[in-house]
Amino acid sequence: MQKTSKIYISGHRGLVGSHLLQKLKDQGYENIITKTRVELDLLNQAEVLKFFEKEKPDYVFLAAAKVGGIMANMTQQGAFLYENLQIQNNVIHSSYQTGVKKLLFLGSSCIYPRNCPQPMREEYLMTGDVEPTNYGYAIAKIAGLKMCQAYNEQYGTNYITVMPTNLYGPGDNFDPQGSHVLPALIRKFATAVKNGDKEIILWGTGTPKREFLHAKDLADACVFLLNSENVNKDTGLINIGVGADISILELANLIKEISGFQGNIVLDTSKPDGMMRKLLDVSKISNLGWKAKISIEEGIKDVYNWFIKTYKSNLFYL
Ligand SMILES: NC(=O)c1ccc[n+]([C@@H]2O[C@H](COP(=O)([O-])OP(=O)(O)OC[C@H]3O[C@@H](n4cnc5c(N)ncnc54)[C@H](OP(=O)(O)O)[C@@H]3O)[C@@H](O)[C@H]2O)c1
């Protein structure tokens, strides 16, 4: 990408998109296009094509999607399937119709088979059934990455797909009903500190292990991959993670320390644990020359401080 190349970031107000936007600005890219959902509803095929025909972007980051935690996924399988299929169909097809040079599609580690061997290598995709609690999301994402592959084969486009692990960062979703585990714990500890609670309840046994990548690192990886001459339509899927995981109890203890919470963590073992491990094999991206830079301690401090600062000025604070 040249600093003057026209770059469209879809979903620029989301966790991934906002960090991509910041990364590109920091690196001096000066021709970035963004549109809010009100300005351009990506579900609307005609409007999306009109936008691409007018703007003719050189590069596209497809970071718009319907994303949510387990409850949202379980109760809205149809909406996750429909909206994600529609958004990616519209953006990928319009990119092809208007000659986009390179597109980066965001897949997810959640779409590997539920009983996938660990750590998960790129070639394990579609070797077993997806997790039933998010099958709508997973099937849509698989269709998206297969669409990129099929367009590359049939039309000679240059679309790449990345598979990020669990992400976190400033701007994440902290809604108690819809958030992922890390932001949910940050909110829980911050609330407990504020209220002077004696204990916080942690669901499950605390033993399942998870991998977490700061969204700033993800953005760095995406820009690196889009710029890399060694990465093209023939590279196949690329996992993006840190290559290491921690248990949920270790994570809770880390957030406890950062928050200064003095009480106890109580395990509610009547609640489900979910998959025991979900770790990405990151040898492919390492061999391409990229690795994550932000440690989990540093990353959580960053997000914890952001959360306190942001939510203090909010009437609905905790
Ligand atoms: N978060 C993770 O842990 C994670 C992990 C792996 C992969 N990913 C992938 O990364 C990508 C981005 O995820 P994220 O966490 O950044 O999600 P997010 O924070 O929910 O952001 C999604 C963005 O998409 C936009 N969007 C959704 N529907 C739209 C529509 N109909 N028209 C226009 N814009 C629309 C949203 O706009 P509004 O701001 O208007 O709502 C928002 O800006 C997704 O493809 C996701 O699958 C995320």
Side-chain angles (χ1 to χ4, degrees):
M1 288 187 291
Q2 307 294 317
K3 299 295 180 196
T4 52
S5 301
K6 205 175 230 193
I7 304 165
Y8 170 48
I9 305 173
S10 69
H12 71 287
R13 294 202 296 189
L15 178 63
V16 172
S18 60
H19 283 85
L20 274 171
L21 181 59
Q22 194 56 53
K23 181 86 212 166
L24 291 170
K25 280 184 178 169
D26 290 348
Q27 291 196 347
Y29 290 93
E30 55 196 43
N31 199 358
I32 304 166
I33 326 165
T34 56
K35 290 277 172 204
T36 64
R37 189 194 297 239
V38 174
E39 291 165 337
L40 177 65
D41 182 356
L42 295 170
L43 297 173
N44 185 323
Q45 185 184 9
E47 288 301 315
V48 175
L49 181 57
K50 203 162 35 159
F51 162 76
F52 271 80
E53 281 173 339
K54 176 166 176 268
E55 296 292 350
K56 292 206 167 26
D58 299 308
Y59 298 94
V60 171
F61 290 94
L62 209 180
K66 181 171 173 64
V67 180
I70 184 166
M71 192 52 78
N73 269 281
M74 278 169 67
T75 53
Q76 301 173 46
Q77 300 277 12
F80 274 86
L81 194 46
Y82 169 74
E83 291 186 31
N84 285 316
L85 282 174
Q86 194 80 350
I87 290 170
Q88 67 208 29
N89 280 350
N90 291 342
V91 173
I92 295 169
H93 190 64
S94 298
S95 295
Y96 155 63
Q97 287 178 300
T98 57
V100 165
K101 292 181 186 147
K102 206 168 179 181
L103 172 147
L104 183 139
F105 175 66
L106 270 290
S108 168
S109 62
C110 313
I111 70 178
Y112 279 111
R114 62 184 308 215
N115 294 321
C116 200
Q118 302 292 318
M120 300 185 284
R121 296 177 62 84
E122 288 85 351
E123 58 267 31
Y124 298 159
L125 189 78
M126 293 181 70
T127 54
D129 289 340
V130 297
E131 168 60 36
T133 53
N134 69 351
Y135 79 87
Y137 175 78
I139 297 295
K141 286 278 170 194
I142 291 171
L145 65 90
K146 285 289 169 195
M147 185 160 170
C148 288
Q149 184 190 339
Y151 274 46
N152 288 343
E153 286 165 11
Q154 184 175 353
Y155 304 122
T157 52
N158 197 8
Y159 301 161
I160 59 174
T161 297
V162 297
M163 304 284 270
T165 188
N166 305 298
L167 303 172
Y168 69 99
D172 206 345
N173 175 7
F174 290 89
D175 175 1
Q177 305 306 320
S179 56
H180 293 118
V181 61
L182 194 152
L185 284 177
I186 285 186
R187 188 184 183 115
K188 254 190 186 183
F189 277 101
T191 310
V193 169
K194 179 167 178 276
N195 296 342
D197 294 341
K198 298 266 180 301
E199 59 181 43
I200 72 129
I201 310 285
L202 193 63
W203 276 30
T205 62
T207 51
K209 294 180 110 184
R210 292 289 183 270
E211 177 184 17
F212 298 99
L213 178 73
H214 196 292
K216 210 184 270 181
D217 266 339
L218 189 258
D220 186 58
C222 290
V223 174
F224 167 83
L225 293 170
L226 211 72
N227 267 328
S228 170
E229 284 177 6
N230 298 326
V231 177
N232 55 41
K233 61 193 176 76
D234 302 318
T235 311
L237 306 176
I238 307 165
N239 286 342
I240 309 181
V242 293
D245 50 7
I246 64 169
S247 76
I248 297 299
L249 187 56
E250 284 170 324
L251 176 72
N253 276 316
L254 196 55
I255 302 175
K256 177 182 172 182
E257 198 185 311
I258 289 166
S259 69
F261 176 63
Q262 298 293 320
N264 297 318
I265 297 172
V266 177
L267 299 173
D268 178 357
T269 53
S270 69
K271 295 289 191 303
D273 268 340
M275 270 171 73
M276 287 314 285
R277 207 166 182 209
K278 269 173 74 181
L279 176 65
L280 287 179
D281 180 305
V282 291
S283 31
K284 189 167 184 175
I285 195 164
S286 304
N287 291 336
L288 288 165
W290 185 88
K291 73 174 179 33
K293 296 170 192 70
I294 303 171
S295 71
I296 184 88
E297 293 82 4
E298 194 188 335
I300 290 176
K301 265 186 209 152
D302 175 42
V303 182
Y304 194 86
N305 292 335
W306 179 89
F307 177 79
I308 296 295
K309 208 170 81 194
T310 308
Y311 277 66
K312 261 194 179 154
S313 56
N314 184 330
L315 276 181
F316 301 103
Y317 175 49
L318 312 175

